[in-house]
């Protein structure tokens, strides 16, 4: 299930793109969905971090350059929030004005 199927069709906000979503997973059809909308994970911190960084190398985008599997401390934590997508009348965030007018 994609993010747009989960959130945009129900007119709810898209969750932030953040490592913290791994700490608050929702359960959908018996499976974890890392959307940040569930209760606090009962897993140990080290297990959550190990999983987050094992499923995607993109997880390193959220932390500073000194973060490693052996140094799980970071001076900075990055998150990304998307606002205003899609604007009324547009199919999705990638549709251009020209495409809309066709």
């Amino acid at each position: 299930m994609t993010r747009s199927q989960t959130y945009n069709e129900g007119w709810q906000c898209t969750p932030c793109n953040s490592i913290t979503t791994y700490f608050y997973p929702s359960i959908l059809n018996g499976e974890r969905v890392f959307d940040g909308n569930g209760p606090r994970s009962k897993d140990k911190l080290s297990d959550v971090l190990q999983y987050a960084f094992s499923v995607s190398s993109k997880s390193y985008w959220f932390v500073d350059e000194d973060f490693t599997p052996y140094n799980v401390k970071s001076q900075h934590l990055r998150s990304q929030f998307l606002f205003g997508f899609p604007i009324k009348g547009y199919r999705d965030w990638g549709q251009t004005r020209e495409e809309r007018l066709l």
Side-chain angles (χ1 to χ4, degrees):
M1 180 171 293
T2 67
R3 224 181 231 195
S4 63
Q5 290 172 319
T6 305
Y7 294 97
N8 295 337
E9 289 176 8
W11 297 101
Q12 296 177 11
C13 295
T14 300
C16 70
N17 184 16
S18 172
I19 196 73
T20 60
T21 61
Y22 287 95
F23 294 97
Y24 299 93
S26 294
I27 305 299
L28 183 64
N29 298 325
E31 294 194 29
R32 289 182 182 184
V33 178
F34 296 102
D35 58 6
N37 290 325
R40 172 71 168 88
S41 174
K42 294 179 180 165
D43 296 329
K44 294 188 316 185
L45 173 65
S46 58
D47 293 342
V48 173
L49 288 172
Q50 181 179 10
Y51 178 77
F53 288 91
S54 69
V55 295
S56 174
S57 61
K58 294 178 184 177
S59 294
Y60 287 97
W61 179 83
F62 299 113
V63 294
D64 65 32
E65 61 191 19
D66 296 325
F67 189 94
T68 68
Y70 307 104
N71 177 37
V72 292
K73 295 180 182 179
S74 180
Q75 293 285 328
H76 309 283
L77 181 64
R78 181 188 303 183
S79 295
Q80 181 182 41
F81 296 85
L82 301 177
F83 296 100
F85 297 112
I87 297 171
K88 186 176 181 178
Y90 285 81
R91 156 182 87 243
D92 58 36
W93 68 269
Q95 184 182 21
T96 66
R97 183 172 190 265
E98 292 75 21
E99 290 172 331
R100 181 176 177 240
L101 296 175
L102 292 177

